[in-house]
Amino acid sequence: MESWGATNDDLLENGTSSSSESEKGKGGLRTMPFIIVNECLEKVASYGIMPNMILYLINGYGMAIVEGTKVMNTWSAMSNVLSIFGAFLSDSYFGRFLVISIGSFSSLLGLTILWLTAMIPGLRTSCESFMLDCSSATGAQLAVLFISLGLISIGAGCIRPCSIAFGADQLTIRERSNNGRLLDSYFNWCLNKACIIRNPETVSNPDASVLDPWNQCTVGQVESLKSLLRVLPMWSTGIFMVASQATFSTVQANTMDRRLFGTFKMPAGSFNLVIVITVSIIIPTYDRVMVPLLAKYMSMPRGFSCRSRIGIGLLFVCASKATSAVVETMRRNAAIEEGFEDQPDSVIHMSVLWLVPEFVFLGIAEGFNPVGQVEFFYTYIPKSMSSFAMALFTLQLAAVDIFGNLLVSIVDKVTSVGGNESWLSTNINKGHLNYYYALLTCLGILNYLYFLAICWAYGPAPQQKLEPSAGKEEEKFDYTELPTS
C-alpha cells in the first residue's frame, strides 16, 4: 500500500503525540496489534474452514461436488456482498467499532452452531464412503447448516470492510491525488449536470440548501458518486480473475499421496496455507528488496504502480490455472493407469506436493493484485467513504463467486449433454477437471487483454502524495469543471 511510504516519524507521531486537538481519541500504533489479530481471527473463522467444507458437505450432507461447490460459492458471495452493508452501517450510522463488535459476536455464534453440526449426529446425515451409500440431508439439517453459514457471513460482512479503515482512523496520515484522465473527463461531463441550479427558486432555505433533494444534488454527493464510478472499469477486471478452485483442489488432494514424512499426512484442505506462506514472503521481499532496487536502477522510488501490481497478479493467476490443468492431467492419467477410474476415494501413487506450484502462483498473485486494487480504490474514493474502498474489493470477490457458480453450472450442464460424464463429475477420475482448468486459463488471458484496454482508457497514472492530516477537515473536491450557469 502507498501509505507505507510515510516516514517513521509520521507514524510514531500517531502513537505518541497528544498536542494536537485533532488527534484526541486516536489510538495510534498501539492499537494495531488488536485490530490485526481480530481481522486475522475472522479470516481463520471463514476462509480457514472453506477448503475442508466441500468434503464435509459431500460426506456429511450427501451433496455432489457441483452442488457443494455452489453452496460454497454462494456462502462466499454472501459474505462479500454483506461487506457493502457493513460499510454503509459503519460510515452512516453506528461507527466502525460497534459494527466490528457485532460482526465478531455473529461469527462466534455461527461457528459454534457449525461446530454443533459436527458434534451432534442428528444434525447431519452420513456416508459410509466417498460418493457411496449417501442419504440426502433433511430440510431441518440443511436449515441449521445454512443458519450457521449465514451468521458467519454476517460477521464477515461487518468486520472485513471496517477493520482496515478502523486502523486508518487511529492514524493521521491522509492520501490525496489529482485526477485528470480520460475516464475522469467522461464522468465529470454523464454527472456535473446533477448539481446545476436550473431553477433558482429551488434554493430558498436560509442555509442555501435545496428544497427538493431528489431533483437537486449537492456537489459533494455528485463528486462522491463520480469517485465510485471512476473505479468501476478497473474493478471489473477482477471479476474474471479467479473462479474458485479450492473445492476441486481439496478433492484432488484427497486422492493423492499426502504423506510428507513418517506417518504424517498433509490435510487435504490445508493448501491455503501455501498461499499464506507465499504472501508472507512476497510482500516483505517486494517492500524491502525490490522497491529499493526499482528506485535505484529504474527511477521508481515507490516501486511498481498500483496498476502494474494489478497486472502482475492477473498474469500469475493465469499461470496458476495453466499449472492446475497440467497437474490434473497427470493425476487423472495416473488414477486410470492404476485402475482407480471407478474408485474416486482410492489414493494414487502421486505426491500431493504436485499441487504446491499452483498455490505458490496464487500466493504471488495475492501479494500483488489485491494490494494494487485496494490502493487504486483509495486513490479515487474520498476519505469520508474509506470503508467502501475495502467493501468494493470484497464486492468484487462476491462477483467472482457468482461468476464461478454460473460457470460451474454451465460447464456441468453442457458437458453432460447426451449422457456424457460431466467435466465436473463427483468422480473426478472420470471427469475432466483438466479441461475446466484449461478453460479458466483461456478466460484469464482474455481478462488480461481487457485489463490492458482499461489501463489505456484511464491514461497516465496521477502523481500521488501522502500528507499528515492536521485536523478533521472534510474531503476536498475539485470543482473547476463545474459549469457556472
Side-chain angles (χ1 to χ4, degrees):
M1 300 283 290
E2 293 292 340
S3 59
W4 295 351
T7 64
N8 290 335
D9 291 339
D10 291 332
L11 293 176
L12 290 175
E13 180 185 7
N14 289 284
T16 60
S17 175
S18 59
S19 60
S20 173
E21 185 69 22
S22 64
E23 292 181 355
K24 289 183 177 180
K26 293 178 180 284
L29 290 178
R30 66 176 66 89
T31 63
M32 294 301 107
F34 302 98
I35 296 173
I36 293 173
V37 167
N38 185 70
E39 175 78 3
C40 291
L41 291 178
E42 186 279 321
K43 290 294 189 295
V44 171
S46 53
Y47 292 131
I49 63 176
M50 287 190 71
N52 289 303
M53 278 298 294
I54 185 62
L55 297 180
Y56 186 59
L57 294 178
I58 292 175
N59 296 325
Y61 291 86
M63 295 186 184
I65 189 171
V66 170
E67 183 182 5
T69 298
K70 291 179 181 178
V71 170
M72 299 303 298
N73 285 343
T74 301
W75 174 35
S76 179
M78 184 170 65
S79 299
N80 291 316
V81 167
L82 287 176
S83 295
I84 294 295
F85 295 98
F88 173 75
L89 291 175
S90 67
D91 284 352
S92 302
Y93 292 101
F94 303 124
R96 298 184 181 108
F97 178 80
L98 180 57
V99 171
I100 292 174
S101 300
I102 294 173
S104 299
F105 176 77
S106 181
S107 290
L108 175 62
L109 182 59
L111 279 172
T112 301
I113 297 175
L114 184 62
W115 170 69
L116 290 176
T117 66
M119 295 297 295
I120 303 175
L123 293 180
R124 68 184 190 282
T125 185
S126 62
C127 296
E128 293 185 6
S129 63
F130 189 75
M131 279 186 61
L132 300 176
D133 301 323
C134 297
S135 58
S136 299
T138 65
Q141 290 171 335
L142 290 176
V144 174
L145 172 68
F146 294 152
I147 287 173
S148 67
L149 297 182
L151 288 171
I152 295 173
S153 292
I154 292 174
C158 291
I159 295 174
R160 291 178 189 174
C162 299
S163 286
I164 292 180
F166 185 61
D169 288 344
Q170 312 309 309
L171 307 176
T172 59
I173 293 177
R174 160 169 277 181
E175 184 176 20
R176 296 178 183 173
S177 63
N178 296 318
N179 302 323
R181 311 178 187 180
L182 177 62
L183 291 181
D184 292 357
S185 298
Y186 171 74
F187 290 126
N188 280 332
W189 206 33
C190 51
L191 289 175
N192 283 343
K193 295 181 180 179
C195 54
I196 296 175
I197 302 175
R198 296 180 178 84
N199 300 312
E201 60 271 15
T202 62
V203 182
S204 59
N205 290 336
D207 60 354
S209 60
V210 296
L211 291 176
D212 188 2
W214 293 104
N215 292 324
Q216 183 73 42
C217 300
T218 66
V219 172
Q221 289 172 332
V222 172
E223 293 295 328
S224 295
L225 180 58
K226 286 180 187 177
S227 67
L228 289 176
L229 292 181
R230 286 187 185 108
V231 303
L232 289 183
M234 187 62 73
W235 176 89
S236 66
T237 64
I239 294 178
F240 297 94
M241 183 182 74
V242 180
S244 178
Q245 68 181 67
T247 55
F248 299 117
S249 296
T250 301
V251 176
Q252 286 176 280
N254 203 48
T255 70
M256 302 173 75
D257 185 359
R258 294 182 281 116
R259 291 176 299 176
L260 297 184
F261 49 85
T263 58
F264 176 77
K265 291 186 178 181
M266 185 175 185
S270 64
F271 277 90
N272 277 354
L273 182 62
V274 177
I275 298 179
V276 174
I277 294 174
T278 304
V279 171
S280 300
I281 295 173
I282 287 296
I283 290 182
T285 300
Y286 170 79
D287 187 54
R288 298 300 180 184
V289 178
M290 291 185 65
V291 171
L293 291 176
L294 291 170
K296 182 176 181 180
Y297 296 107
M298 300 187 67
S299 300
M300 296 180 179
R302 305 172 80 172
F304 292 122
S305 67
C306 54
R307 296 188 206 175
S308 297
R309 278 176 278 174
I310 294 172
I312 291 172
L314 292 178
L315 286 177
F316 274 101
V317 168
C318 294
S320 173
K321 303 303 181 184
T323 304
S324 300
V326 173
V327 172
E328 172 55 17
T329 299
M330 296 169 56
R331 190 211 63 80
R332 184 177 183 275
N333 290 340
I336 294 174
E337 290 174 1
E338 295 177 22
F340 296 141
E341 184 175 7
D342 296 316
Q343 303 176 44
D345 55 340
S346 297
V347 178
I348 64 175
H349 293 88
M350 180 177 177
S351 174
V352 76
L353 296 179
W354 279 99
L355 297 177
V356 170
E358 63 192 68
F359 284 91
V360 170
F361 287 145
L362 281 180
I364 297 174
E366 287 283 336
F368 283 97
N369 188 281
V371 176
Q373 291 243 15
V374 174
E375 178 185 326
F376 185 88
F377 298 156
Y378 270 101
T379 299
Y380 284 91
I381 294 179
K383 187 175 184 297
S384 60
M385 300 171 62
S386 55
S387 291
F388 275 95
M390 193 62 193
L392 275 174
F393 178 71
T394 57
L395 183 62
Q396 182 187 82
L397 298 180
V400 169
D401 292 322
I402 294 172
F403 168 71
N405 259 357
L406 180 63
L407 185 63
V408 164
S409 297
I410 293 175
V411 170
D412 182 55
K413 291 184 181 299
V414 171
T415 59
S416 60
V417 170
N420 294 322
E421 194 76 32
S422 169
W423 287 2
L424 305 179
S425 171
T426 304
N427 183 349
I428 61 173
N429 294 340
K430 283 190 172 181
H432 280 284
L433 275 178
N434 51 341
Y435 294 169
Y436 176 68
Y437 289 146
L439 175 62
L440 294 181
T441 304
C442 294
L443 291 176
I445 294 173
L446 292 175
N447 182 65
Y448 182 73
L449 296 177
Y450 170 65
F451 162 77
L452 294 179
I454 290 298
C455 287
W456 173 84
Y458 272 105
Q463 296 295 323
Q464 302 175 1
K465 66 177 181 178
L466 295 172
E467 300 176 354
S469 173
K472 296 183 179 180
E473 58 179 317
E474 295 296 324
E475 191 72 19
K476 295 181 179 179
F477 297 102
D478 181 8
Y479 304 144
T480 58
E481 296 188 30
L482 293 176
T484 57
S485 60

